[in-house]
Amino acid sequence: MIALLCSLFAKPVQASPTESLDERLKKALDTEVIPILKSHCGSCHMNGENEAGVNFDDYKTIDKIREHTSTWEQIRGVVRAEAMPPPDNSNMSGEERKRLSDWIQAILHDVDCQCEFPTPGVTIRRLNQIEYDNTIQDLFGIDTYPSKQIAFVSDDVGNGFDNQGEVLSIAPIMMEKYLQAASLVAKQVIITDREKLRNISHEGKALAFGSSYAATFLLAEGTYDFNVRMRFGDGQNDKCFAIAKLDGQTVREWDVESNSKNFEFTLDVPEGEHVLAIQYESDESPDKKGDPKRKLYIENIRSNGPRKRDPAFPRIHRSFVVAYPEQRDAPFSEAIGPTEASRRVFTAFLPKAYRRAVDAAEIESVVKICEAAQNEGFNYLESLQFGLQGILASPKFLFRSEKLDPALGLDDYSIANRLSYFLWSSMPDEELMNLAAAGELRHPDVLRLQVNRMLEHPKSIALVQGFFGQWLGLRNLNKIEIDKKQFTLWNNRLRDAMIRETELFCHHVLQHGSVDELTTANYSFMNPRMADFYGVSFADTDPADLYLSSSRRNSDQSKRSGSFEREDEWIRVELPKNRQGILTQAAVLALTSNPSRTSPVKRGKWILENMLGDPPPSAPPNVPSLEQAKANEKASLREQLEVHRSNPSCAGCHKIMDPIGLGLENFDAIGRWRDQEGDKSIDAQGELVDGSKFTSPAELVTLLGARKDQILENLTKKMMVYAIGRSLQRVDRCAIEQVLNYVRGRNRSIRGMVEAIVLSDTFLQSPTIQPSPTLPSPAPASTPPTGDRNDEP
């Protein structure tokens, strides 16, 4: 008889005399697994015994085991870590442990990839806070953050990310916040009081010698009065010379002294956008031009006008209000009126807001809101505000609805949205929408081109901050507390610089590198602050010479504070030999520390979970803390952990985590290199559970980096979860294998990984996950560049 190839929920592609995966797993359950469990676990977990709530008699079928995945993941973890059965009275052999843990891994995660499986669905996703703000900004072209101004409720996190459909629900308070935000945005977009536009003001900035500051004004034709308020330096007795240029032409010149003063002038300008630039042209004492106190401080630039004419509406208003009731379609025709004008406004706008094609009924529903407002006495522009509020509070705007074609999967508009929110955390741009409207986006070559175009765009930094920021935990760095008395160098500027370094590094590897560089790279990106922190030169300059504070020459580096020259300049820098890849970057090391000391346990756990995708099981209850397990007051951290591991309940997991964390002990709680802790020399040698030995952090990181296939698979799974907005299911194993094969053919590049995920059946929501082990063939891959390109997004 021909054996059934696939599980009941899958359909076989072809008949085969080979046993199915589930048949093999069921046979192993009866002949190998249950005997092992009876022999070594039965006294506590069988025959009516229910220690820790686990009774193996309840799990007689593989379906029942799969219904309790989390329980069996925990069982696998404690068995593999030799935490269970209890090591002090267990005679379970290493071979039995491996057979049992491998079987649990297979039953929970393996699947027959020669079958077609129905593609799991995705819960409809609400825009999270970042996606909401980005969408508002791109929809209207304004720099605003409504979620912060209105104080949205924090988004829940699922599977490690804040874009997962199952956790993005809407509580009543959230709906109130959306209504408030819609009103706020509508008033920013549609200007109902034109007279308020008569005065325009721009905040200025401090200018160094030879530099300039430009402010943009959108003006109607007419006469304008301009006012520039500025001063020269801090306590300077002389003056500098400044010039004003309008659209590149010099219009005024001034001597600027140390007291703040208004410099006024009047100009006639044509209608349009104009740039007024103020330049620090020259100095009475040019030999002192490098003095940081000799700066031209522009406090603000203001315009008033035009005289006796209406001021110009801003660009945002003009791009939205494309029709007015008084306009006529022909010289002698009647005015179109407010209803038709509203219809034209929302016919143009609604497809952008809903991010898809819309029908006439959807447009008319918004027009009726405007009519109702006008019937209540509101004028035309005010009625448009109400219509816009209705759109921005609609589920069609707030949710990423996806339309499925039973034969193909996601329609083109849904693909455009899924792709754009994956890579940009924002709405599709015009090119994506045009391709969707033409029905061309599904083609693999078109998708590949769009992925690469979007990754080259500055908005791809959203993928770094959204995916890498949450995968690595960078967002949590803003929440940690560091003992500033013990680590005097720690401040918000250093914290921000640490995050920025890792973001720039990840962005570079995303654009140009391979997955392997995450752990093997001998370079990073630094500003003077980070170069000083790592003890490397910055563009052939000692970063200590770039401090602006009076402590710049202090021999005690840890007491330095203040700002740097070139603080905002980031360059690619070769790392010292004791650092390599992400694992030794300051952000990760600080993130995995305690406030006053390092935490080898946190560091080991972080690497196992975040990089290798192999987290240790949760600690059993009633385990003593590290402090309770101290050997004595003067014991080193390594000695304290050895005492902690003497507890049989702790030994199994800690023998996996601790060697990794202890191998990084040369890095203190904020990630600075050290050779001693107090009066004790750091001992960074150790041995991993596979027998690999190391004597330094560099050797440890090299050993971990050698597990490149494990890191590649973990990163692929994490990025797939982020891209599709749901947890992975067993049937997704085949799609993951397809992606991995594709990435290996693309020099293991992260860019190739993004391409493969977008091309997968899982991402495109195809009706079934196909049995083919390959994705559409990519173009020939080239070796990622390894030059010294400065890569600031």
Side-chain angles (χ1 to χ4, degrees):
M1 184 180 71
I2 297 176
L4 181 65
L5 284 175
C6 307
S7 303
L8 294 176
F9 57 84
K11 80 177 176 183
V13 178
Q14 58 183 4
S16 167
T18 307
E19 282 185 306
S20 72
L21 172 66
D22 281 6
E23 287 176 330
R24 296 196 302 273
L25 291 172
K26 180 63 171 69
K27 182 182 293 184
L29 173 65
D30 297 333
T31 61
E32 297 182 35
V33 175
I34 290 180
I36 291 175
L37 294 175
K38 282 183 176 179
S39 175
H40 300 287
C41 310
S43 60
C44 296
H45 300 286
M46 300 180 92
N47 300 319
E49 297 297 327
N50 192 32
E51 184 76 21
V54 176
N55 185 342
F56 290 127
D57 293 328
D58 295 337
Y59 302 99
K60 296 294 180 65
T61 67
I62 58 178
D63 287 338
K64 189 69 173 178
I65 292 171
R66 285 170 178 159
E67 289 175 7
H68 297 81
T69 297
S70 60
T71 298
W72 281 85
E73 286 282 17
Q74 183 80 355
I75 293 169
R76 174 179 172 268
V78 295
V79 168
R80 186 173 57 100
E82 301 183 18
M84 286 290 167
D88 53 350
N89 58 12
S90 170
N91 60 357
M92 181 182 284
S93 68
E95 175 61 27
E96 287 175 317
R97 286 186 184 278
K98 186 175 187 309
R99 282 158 54 196
L100 180 56
S101 61
D102 286 352
W103 181 85
I104 297 174
Q105 170 70 18
I107 202 168
L108 297 183
H109 301 290
D110 287 358
V111 67
D112 282 318
C113 285
Q114 293 306 309
C115 305
E116 291 182 2
F117 295 93
T119 306
V122 178
T123 303
I124 184 171
R125 282 182 275 177
R126 171 177 60 79
L127 301 180
N128 64 28
Q129 289 187 29
I130 292 173
E131 292 168 342
Y132 181 91
D133 286 345
N134 289 346
T135 301
I136 291 293
Q137 291 168 14
D138 289 343
L139 182 59
F140 298 108
I142 53 177
D143 185 17
T144 186
Y145 296 86
S147 72
K148 294 179 175 59
Q149 293 172 274
I150 303 299
F152 282 10
V153 178
S154 297
D155 294 314
D156 289 331
V157 173
N159 307 311
F161 301 105
D162 62 3
N163 67 346
Q164 305 293 287
E166 58 262 37
V167 299
L168 289 171
S169 57
I170 291 189
I173 184 63
M174 195 68 236
M175 199 63 239
E176 292 181 22
K177 296 291 185 181
Y178 280 132
L179 290 169
Q180 293 173 31
S183 175
L184 175 71
V185 172
K187 291 174 181 176
Q188 289 179 302
V189 172
I190 304 168
I191 307 301
T192 58
D193 185 355
R194 197 168 188 176
E195 277 304 302
K196 289 184 178 180
L197 302 172
R198 194 166 295 281
N199 294 293
I200 302 174
S201 179
H202 292 274
E203 292 297 319
K205 63 180 293 186
L207 301 180
F209 182 89
S211 60
S212 63
Y213 168 69
T216 301
F217 294 84
L218 184 61
L219 305 175
E221 181 180 1
T223 301
Y224 286 82
D225 298 311
F226 292 91
N227 183 303
V228 182
R229 185 170 181 82
M230 50 188 171
R231 62 182 171 85
F232 174 55
D234 293 320
Q236 304 301 302
N237 295 321
D238 51 357
K239 58 189 175 183
C240 74
F241 305 102
I243 61 174
K245 293 183 177 181
L246 186 70
D247 301 330
Q249 299 297 315
T250 300
V251 292
R252 291 294 185 275
E253 300 179 0
W254 302 292
D255 294 342
V256 184
E257 299 177 340
S258 60
N259 294 328
S260 294
K261 182 180 177 181
N262 293 325
F263 295 85
E264 301 175 344
F265 58 100
T266 300
L267 290 174
D268 291 329
V269 299
E271 181 179 0
E273 190 174 90
H274 300 276
V275 177
L276 180 63
I278 308 299
Q279 183 172 338
Y280 182 171
E281 175 66 13
S282 59
D283 196 317
E284 248 188 359
S285 303
D287 57 314
K288 299 179 181 179
K289 64 183 181 182
D291 188 336
K293 293 183 179 180
R294 296 179 67 82
K295 289 186 177 180
L296 175 62
Y297 290 91
I298 302 172
E299 296 176 16
N300 56 63
I301 303 176
R302 301 192 300 271
S303 71
N304 178 272
R307 297 176 181 174
K308 300 180 180 180
R309 295 192 181 188
D310 289 331
F313 281 116
R315 185 186 302 106
I316 180 179
H317 177 103
R318 295 202 282 188
S319 63
F320 181 85
V321 186
V322 296
Y324 286 87
E326 61 271 17
Q327 73 184 54
R328 304 171 186 271
D329 291 335
F332 301 106
S333 63
E334 293 184 358
I336 62 174
T339 296
E340 177 58 25
S342 302
R343 184 176 294 113
R344 295 184 185 187
V345 167
F346 292 110
T347 297
F349 176 74
L350 209 55
K352 301 175 187 176
Y354 290 171
R355 305 176 290 276
R356 57 170 172 77
V358 299
D359 57 37
E362 290 175 308
I363 296 170
E364 290 305 311
S365 66
V366 183
V367 172
K368 291 186 181 298
I369 295 176
C370 298
E371 289 179 331
Q374 291 161 17
N375 291 337
E376 292 295 321
F378 293 97
N379 64 35
Y380 172 67
L381 292 177
E382 291 169 336
S383 74
L384 292 184
Q385 286 183 341
F386 283 105
L388 180 54
Q389 289 177 50
I391 293 171
L392 298 182
S394 166
K396 297 174 183 179
F397 172 78
L398 296 174
F399 284 83
R400 294 166 51 186
S401 60
E402 295 177 337
K403 184 178 180 181
L404 283 170
D405 183 315
L408 297 175
L410 294 177
D411 72 351
D412 282 68
Y413 285 110
S414 300
I415 294 173
N417 278 274
R418 186 173 280 200
L419 178 59
S420 186
Y421 282 100
F422 172 29
L423 301 186
W424 288 349
S425 296
S426 187
M427 61 182 288
D429 65 357
E430 185 176 3
E431 183 167 337
L432 280 176
M433 292 294 283
N434 288 340
L435 288 168
E440 299 176 1
L441 197 53
R442 178 175 294 279
H443 193 281
D445 289 339
V446 174
L447 277 174
R448 262 192 293 266
L449 285 172
Q450 288 305 306
V451 166
N452 285 280
R453 175 184 75 87
M454 295 172 73
L455 289 179
E456 294 291 339
H457 195 283
K459 287 197 288 188
S460 66
I461 191 63
L463 180 58
V464 173
Q465 295 170 338
F467 171 70
F468 287 95
Q470 293 182 87
W471 170 49
L472 299 174
L474 295 181
R475 292 184 181 179
N476 295 327
L477 198 59
N478 286 314
K479 303 175 185 177
I480 68 169
E481 296 294 334
I482 294 292
D483 185 347
K484 295 182 180 180
K485 291 182 179 179
Q486 186 171 345
F487 300 98
T488 55
L489 198 65
W490 182 261
N491 56 39
N492 289 338
R493 284 174 295 198
L494 178 61
R495 186 205 314 257
D496 292 344
M498 288 178 176
I499 295 172
R500 183 67 170 154
E501 178 205 358
T502 302
E503 286 180 349
L504 288 175
F505 174 79
C506 291
H507 193 264
H508 175 83
V509 176
L510 169 65
Q511 296 284 5
H512 309 289
S514 71
V515 175
D516 303 340
E517 287 181 61
L518 292 173
T519 52
T520 64
N522 64 350
Y523 64 88
S524 190
F525 295 85
M526 300 183 195
N527 67 352
R529 185 178 300 277
M530 290 308 300
D532 184 59
F533 183 86
Y534 285 134
V536 299
S537 65
F538 181 81
D540 298 324
T541 303
D542 183 350
D545 293 331
L546 297 176
Y547 270 92
L548 297 180
S549 70
S550 59
S551 59
R552 59 189 295 175
R553 296 294 181 185
N554 194 316
S555 60
D556 183 358
Q557 295 281 326
S558 68
K559 292 182 179 178
R560 284 183 174 154
S561 61
S563 299
F564 282 86
E565 294 179 41
R566 302 158 72 180
E567 181 91 42
D568 297 329
E569 183 179 343
W570 290 79
I571 61 175
R572 176 168 166 161
V573 174
E574 185 174 337
L575 290 171
K577 292 183 179 179
N578 55 21
R579 295 186 189 266
Q580 181 177 294
I582 277 181
L583 300 185
T584 58
Q585 288 183 5
V588 169
L589 294 166
L591 181 68
T592 52
S593 295
N594 290 325
S596 60
R597 61 169 174 81
T598 59
S599 174
V601 176
K602 284 184 180 179
R603 287 178 175 176
K605 183 176 183 294
W606 186 93
I607 289 172
L608 289 169
E609 185 169 353
N610 292 58
M611 297 303 297
L612 300 176
D614 196 12
S618 302
N622 303 318
V623 172
S625 68
L626 181 60
E627 287 71 18
Q628 293 172 319
K630 281 186 178 180
N632 58 63
E633 289 293 330
K634 297 182 179 180
S636 69
L637 190 54
R638 178 180 286 270
E639 291 166 340
Q640 294 174 38
L641 284 168
E642 286 175 357
V643 174
H644 197 60
R645 286 196 299 275
S646 66
N647 184 325
S649 299
C650 307
C653 299
H654 279 272
K655 77 176 185 179
I656 301 174
M657 297 183 293
D658 292 1
I660 297 174
L662 288 169
L664 298 173
E665 271 295 281
N666 280 112
F667 303 104
D668 69 14
I670 61 173
R672 295 197 91 189
W673 180 266
R674 61 181 180 174
D675 293 309
Q676 289 187 292
E677 181 187 13
D679 59 353
K680 293 181 178 292
S681 297
I682 297 293
D683 179 8
Q685 65 180 337
E687 182 177 344
L688 302 180
V689 289
D690 62 2
S692 303
K693 296 181 179 180
F694 57 90
T695 61
S696 67
E699 291 181 7
L700 168 63
V701 173
T702 299
L703 288 175
L704 294 171
R707 302 184 181 185
K708 57 184 183 180
D709 288 335
Q710 192 174 350
I711 294 171
L712 172 62
E713 181 173 345
N714 176 55
L715 180 61
T716 300
K717 291 178 178 178
K718 296 287 188 181
M719 189 174 286
M720 180 70 88
V721 168
Y722 180 80
I724 63 177
R726 63 168 172 82
S727 59
L728 294 181
Q729 300 182 24
R730 202 165 58 89
V731 297
D732 293 310
R733 179 72 217 179
C734 304
I736 294 297
E737 287 299 325
Q738 292 176 348
V739 172
L740 289 171
N741 289 335
Y742 187 100
V743 175
R744 294 184 185 108
R746 295 285 285 170
N747 294 323
R748 302 170 67 87
S749 71
I750 300 182
R751 184 183 285 256
M753 182 184 296
V754 174
E755 284 184 14
I757 288 173
V758 171
L759 291 169
S760 69
D761 293 331
T762 297
F763 184 87
L764 297 175
Q765 202 70 30
S766 301
T768 59
I769 297 176
Q770 298 297 317
S772 169
T774 60
L775 292 167
S777 299
S782 58
T783 302
T786 57
D788 59 354
R789 176 179 180 270
N790 294 340
D791 190 64
E792 181 178 358

